[in-house]
Amino acid sequence: MTETPRTAVAPPASDVDPFTAEHLEHPEPLHRALREAGPVVHLTRYDVHALARYEEVYAALTDWQSFESGAGAGLANFRHEKPWRPPSLLLEADPPHHDAPRRVLREILAPPALRRLRESWQARAEELVATVVAREGTEFDAFTTLAAAFPLRVFPDAVGLGPEGRENLLPYGNMAFNAFGPRNGLVEADASRMAELSGWVSAQCTRESLGDDGFGARIWAAADRGDLTPEQAPLVVRSLLTAGVDTTVHGLAATLYAFASHPDQWQRLRKRPELARVAFDEAVRWQSPVQTFFRTASSDVTVAGSVIPEGHKILMFLGSANRDPDRWADPDRFDLGRDPSGHVGFGMGIHQCVGQHVARLEAETLLTALARRVEHIELAGEPRRHLNNTLRSWAALPVRIRPAR
Ligand code: Z7Z
């Protein structure tokens, strides 16, 4: 990917804005056009190079030397622009600085460390599904009652957050994920709450505000051992609160949407509940809750014969790579029969989602509880999207169910 070609070709140019309401709401036509335009497309409006094919997105994600993160994973270039908050020690950092925080968090969120949560999350999923079915009847908004409610029940407890102010978590994440995009109306709409939400989140990251038996306390324990500095610990906690809530909420919503729009696949899951994890990954591939993010060229980088100049931003379309027909058979189908592994919905390479096992456990426990209690699920109306510069998010997901007898 870095060798200099004898003859560099100028990539095709486009003045399209991927961050308009139209493209955020219905990204597939734009993705198709970008994939067909070429392996690299120069988006003149933002002067960024877009990658929309699986092969190039995968290659960029797995080449951190050429595609750096330290200049920010959004459109803003931290070499020239002041970040809206102190940069993340994980996302917005390169080796070697990236490595200690990553190692600490990987241990804390690894499958063996999560075993102790499984039983209680199963019980809480059962309880939530039973309550929703009893209280809401057969028609309800699955976004609010399930996809948002479940992570908000289990994840803040697992981190060790106090009870106050948890309603700030989703708005904070919404703001952070908007901030990866251009300063458009979505970013402006968050501006008035930025100081308040950031202040609340920072206050939750201190040792004193965290319970003594959660992910947060374990991050502080790593600082006590010297695996992190005391200055790093609160920022690592902040990463959990930024990247751990909205992503799973909208990932679960994507999964419920997938089933409600494919009732036949729900029957497959009912027969084989052990497919819950594959179903979640297939839904992440199919909907890509994280649609896009950026890297920066650390030198003149050649991609498929085109040179991306040093210091320029690269926009990676994960949602497009996850439906690239050159990689996936019948890519637009949500299909429990396929092997979705290799999708880039959690990223790939050294920055691949460190919380993915937590997300999978949330999905598995919720889906398993639902599969036991819900015989049939279908859409009961038009789902409503919530627009965000990075996340493919939801406002409402009306469903109709038939409870199992
Ligand atoms: O560390 C962080 O605060 C953080 C924030 C956002 C880490 C990751 C992300 C993120 C996740 C960004 C998915 C883009 C896509």
Side-chain angles (χ1 to χ4, degrees), residues 85 88-91 177 180 238-239 242-243 247 290 292-293 390:
R85 60 175 198 171
S88 161
L89 301 180
L90 289 127
L91 178 75
F177 281 96
F180 293 116
R238 193 193 67 178
S239 287
T242 311
T247 47
V290 175
T292 47
F293 54 86
T390 303

Side-chain angles (χ1 to χ4, degrees), residues 172-192:
Y172 180 77
N174 184 58
M175 180 174 80
F177 281 96
N178 273 331
F180 293 116
R183 290 197 192 151
N184 56 16
L186 294 172
V187 171
E188 272 156 34
D190 294 332
S192 65

Side-chain angles (χ1 to χ4, degrees), residues 229-367:
T229 67
E231 293 73 33
Q232 287 177 314
L235 283 173
V236 176
V237 179
R238 193 193 67 178
S239 287
L240 287 181
L241 301 184
T242 311
V245 185
D246 300 63
T247 47
T248 43
V249 163
H250 297 294
L252 290 176
T255 312
L256 297 176
Y257 169 64
F259 281 118
S261 55
H262 298 74
D264 56 320
Q265 299 299 306
W266 185 249
Q267 293 317 312
R268 269 174 111 156
L269 180 71
R270 290 255 303 154
K271 284 201 196 84
R272 296 187 51 202
E274 69 277 11
L275 288 176
R277 280 178 172 247
V278 175
F280 179 59
D281 269 275
E282 169 64 351
V284 170
R285 180 198 70 80
W286 185 65
Q287 283 289 298
S288 299
V290 175
Q291 284 277 301
T292 47
F293 54 86
F294 295 79
R295 295 284 189 253
T296 308
S298 53
S299 58
D300 290 354
V301 185
T302 302
V303 178
S306 295
V307 177
I308 303 177
E310 196 244 321
H312 277 63
K313 284 279 171 171
I314 295 112
L315 170 53
M316 301 175 295
F317 284 86
L318 308 184
S320 174
N322 281 337
R323 291 194 185 206
D324 182 342
D326 286 343
R327 170 62 180 80
W328 308 96
D330 209 354
D332 296 331
R333 247 180 69 158
F334 171 70
D335 179 2
L336 292 201
R338 88 162 77 231
D339 175 7
S341 59
H343 75 74
V344 291
F346 286 119
M348 202 49 83
I350 66 165
H351 291 282
Q352 192 183 34
C353 179
V354 73
Q356 60 185 287
H357 306 294
V358 184
R360 289 205 183 92
L361 186 60
E362 290 177 42
E364 183 196 336
T365 49
L366 181 62
L367 286 177

